[in-house]
Amino acid sequence: MAVPADVYMFGATYLLGVFSMIAVGIVTVYIYLPVFYNLGITSTYEYLGMRFDERCRKCASALFALSVFVYLPMVIYVPALAFSAVTGVSVIKISIIISTICVFYTTIGGLKAVVWTDAIQFSITIGASVLVFFLGLNSVGGFGEVIRIANEGNRLDVFDFDASLTKRETFWAIIVGLTVHWVSHMSINQGCTQKFLSVPTYKDSVKSVFLYSIGMSLTKSLSVFTGLIMFAKYAQCDPMLTKQVAKKDQLLPFYVLDVAGHIPGLSGLFIAGIFSAALSTLSANLNSLAGTIYEDFLKSWLEKHHNHKTAGHVLKLIVVIAGVLCTAMIFVVQQLGGLLALSISLGSVAHGPLLGMFTLGVLCPRANRKGTFYGALSAMCCMAIIIMGAKYYASRGMFGYPKKPVSVAGCADFNLNITSYLNETNFRAENEPLLLFRLSFYWYTMIGSLITIAVGLIISFFTEKDEKQLDRKLISPIAQFMLPRKNDHGHVRYSVEKEAVEGDELNPENAFLKKH
């Protein structure tokens, strides 16, 4: 629902995300996945405890929990918004029903229920999307007509090489910024890695990563082209201007009813597809959240004082509480604007620091526990200030992204001045907020991770090394060349070129040490 509406309003630059997704798959397989799989861990945050200490592990787990609690209310809100647009039923009532159903089967079935329901729900979602895509093509006169109208409406200017970080969507914002954001979602996120690590062999794990990348590329491409078809359909009579749609994220349900409402059951299938996508995401995240909270905060205490049966009840209770809290937060989500920008922006408060922590762990042998912990805290605080500041200035009308042109020329007996609609950023230059608060949301995760890495390396450089010996398994294969090598007896062999006296033949003791 979010991507087609975003393409309709701002253009198809998001299509470049196909290349981003391919890059994310490569980064996952060659940098992060080998470390997690070889260690045989249940939670990715176990890695940070092994690499650094329990404080870093708990910090990462808390950041993950924060990201889930921020993201899941939007996941619940999306299908509720669609169903409300179709039926007029209250968004809150629908949200409660969705949450109750999902919490029930996630609690009863665990990971196996999540995986099987995911498979069924994915099939429904793709089936609905494909049907809507072809019906839309037919309604506007074919693919060629869609491209022609989208080009005339400036929706296809995807190769914008402007280097400005404040422009909403550019080539660099998608190829670099969105790629880093998706790395945080796929390479280290518990919701994804939990599934990558649950298959029998490493080869199967790699295969699942690339299948995921291909599948995501196809579904996102389908969403982008659906947005272009929507624009071709309403290029001369915008539903937002005519007040047929209250929020831009309701554009897709409105369009589906328009092109498929005459076919019995098809609009219902589409709504079922949206519900399936939401339930799939919701159940996977609730399951991984429960596992992470249990493993990193409760396991050691429960194993001392209670049996495994009690632990099972606690896991189910976590899922229920998380579901209730996320449903309650929908009241906040309703007030915060477009879903695509909102999901990326708010999630970056946690995703940037998390990605920075894992990157320090797998790629920087010199990074220590103090640097990693304080680097993550610094990044979280900085990103919270930047994102809250941007939302504040946007709510005051001092900051916003200009939309692409729309028209009501084709609407019967409808006349409207659309200048105020197109110029959301119609304010005087001297009132612009600081550059930090005008950054494109696509850069947020990257900025957060860079702050974590920079602060972490600086603190690590000026503090003592961690006392425990670093296991090679904790470092990514592509970074192991930075580790000291070991000889045949397992002892660390440090480079002695700098320490050796020139002409070792004059110093038999030094020559003996170098040789042995």
Side-chain angles (χ1 to χ4, degrees), residues 119 153 172 175 185 201-202 226 291 332 348 358-359 388 405 437 459 483:
W172 306 114
I175 294 297
H185 262 281
T201 67
Y202 179 71
T226 300
V332 179
S348 298
F358 280 99
T359 303
M388 287 191 295
F437 303 120
I459 293 177
L483 290 169

Side-chain angles (χ1 to χ4, degrees), residues 10-301:
F10 298 103
T13 309
Y14 194 85
L15 185 61
L16 296 173
V18 171
F19 302 105
S20 296
M21 186 54 67
I22 295 170
V24 171
I26 294 170
V27 168
T28 302
V29 167
Y30 286 98
I31 296 180
Y32 300 97
L33 187 64
V35 178
F36 297 150
Y37 200 93
N38 290 334
L39 290 172
I41 54 181
T42 303
S43 163
T44 52
Y45 308 112
E46 288 181 61
Y47 166 78
L48 293 175
M50 299 167 70
R51 172 68 174 85
F52 299 112
D53 60 9
E54 285 302 304
R55 184 173 63 168
C56 287
R57 173 178 173 172
K58 285 181 170 57
C59 175
S61 297
L63 285 170
F64 169 71
L66 173 64
S67 70
V68 171
F69 281 119
V70 167
Y71 180 60
L72 289 189
M74 287 178 273
V75 173
I76 301 169
Y77 179 63
V78 167
L81 190 66
F83 196 81
S84 178
V86 172
T87 64
V89 180
S90 166
V91 169
I92 300 301
K93 290 179 181 177
I94 303 166
S95 300
I96 293 171
I97 294 171
I98 294 169
S99 301
T100 303
I101 293 170
C102 189
V103 166
F104 174 75
Y105 76 74
T106 303
T107 302
I108 299 300
L111 181 60
K112 185 174 286 189
V114 170
V115 172
W116 275 106
T117 50
D118 272 1
I120 297 168
Q121 290 157 355
F122 174 78
S123 302
I124 297 171
T125 302
I126 294 301
S129 300
V130 170
L131 279 172
V132 169
F133 174 79
F134 284 108
L135 283 170
L137 276 182
N138 184 61
S139 71
V140 297
F143 192 75
E145 190 68 7
V146 170
I147 297 301
R148 182 188 69 79
I149 297 173
N151 188 51
E152 291 176 356
N154 298 328
R155 262 57 178 186
L156 296 181
D157 50 350
V158 297
F159 293 102
D160 182 356
F161 293 98
D162 191 336
S164 172
L165 298 181
T166 61
K167 201 166 183 178
R168 188 183 194 273
E169 291 177 330
T170 64
F171 177 87
W172 306 114
I174 301 298
I175 294 297
V176 180
L178 187 60
T179 298
V180 175
H181 177 74
W182 279 346
V183 166
S184 72
H185 262 281
M186 177 173 165
S187 304
I188 64 166
N189 183 276
Q190 177 69 6
C192 281
T193 54
Q194 184 180 43
K195 295 176 183 177
F196 297 152
L197 300 177
S198 65
V199 294
T201 67
Y202 179 71
K203 186 177 180 180
D204 291 328
S205 187
V206 171
K207 189 188 299 181
S208 69
V209 171
F210 283 117
L211 285 172
Y212 177 86
S213 299
I214 294 169
M216 287 293 283
S217 297
L218 292 174
T219 53
K220 289 182 182 296
S221 299
L222 191 63
S223 295
V224 170
F225 282 113
T226 300
L228 293 177
I229 295 171
M230 284 166 51
F231 175 73
K233 179 76 173 174
Y234 304 117
Q236 297 300 313
C237 189
D238 179 71
M240 293 283 290
L241 290 176
T242 58
K243 306 299 181 182
Q244 294 171 283
V245 172
K247 297 182 178 182
K248 76 181 183 76
D249 293 306
Q250 291 179 318
L251 280 168
L252 187 59
F254 174 82
Y255 157 78
V256 170
L257 285 177
D258 194 6
V259 301
H262 64 284
I263 303 175
L266 190 56
S267 56
L269 175 63
F270 173 74
I271 297 299
I274 293 176
F275 270 81
S276 294
L279 288 169
S280 171
T281 303
L282 185 60
S283 62
N285 278 276
L286 285 174
N287 192 74
S288 58
L289 175 65
T292 300
I293 292 176
Y294 174 76
E295 285 283 339
D296 297 336
F297 295 102
L298 304 175
K299 184 178 179 179
S300 57
W301 181 80

Side-chain angles (χ1 to χ4, degrees), residues 247-412:
K247 297 182 178 182
K248 76 181 183 76
D249 293 306
Q250 291 179 318
L251 280 168
L252 187 59
F254 174 82
Y255 157 78
V256 170
L257 285 177
D258 194 6
V259 301
H262 64 284
I263 303 175
L266 190 56
S267 56
L269 175 63
F270 173 74
I271 297 299
I274 293 176
F275 270 81
S276 294
L279 288 169
S280 171
T281 303
L282 185 60
S283 62
N285 278 276
L286 285 174
N287 192 74
S288 58
L289 175 65
T292 300
I293 292 176
Y294 174 76
E295 285 283 339
D296 297 336
F297 295 102
L298 304 175
K299 184 178 179 179
S300 57
W301 181 80
L302 286 170
E303 287 184 345
K304 287 180 181 178
H305 300 89
H306 300 278
N307 56 31
H308 291 291
K309 188 175 181 179
T310 303
H313 292 318
V314 169
L315 280 167
K316 294 175 181 179
L317 182 62
I318 293 171
V319 172
V320 173
I321 293 173
V324 172
L325 290 176
C326 291
T327 305
M329 288 176 64
I330 290 172
F331 291 100
V332 179
V333 171
Q334 289 185 95
Q335 311 300 322
L336 294 179
L339 290 171
L340 182 64
L342 185 63
S343 64
I344 294 176
S345 299
L346 295 183
S348 298
V349 174
H351 293 150
L354 276 173
L355 181 59
M357 292 180 80
F358 280 99
T359 303
L360 282 171
V362 301
L363 293 182
C364 304
R366 182 64 179 83
N368 64 19
R369 58 183 183 271
K370 284 185 179 178
T372 303
F373 179 76
Y374 290 110
L377 287 184
S378 302
M380 185 182 69
C381 293
C382 290
M383 295 315 300
I385 292 170
I386 292 172
I387 293 167
M388 287 191 295
K391 291 295 178 186
Y392 169 76
Y393 286 117
S395 68
R396 297 288 299 271
M398 299 175 64
F399 166 65
Y401 302 109
K403 298 180 176 70
K404 298 287 186 181
V406 293
S407 174
V408 290
C411 300

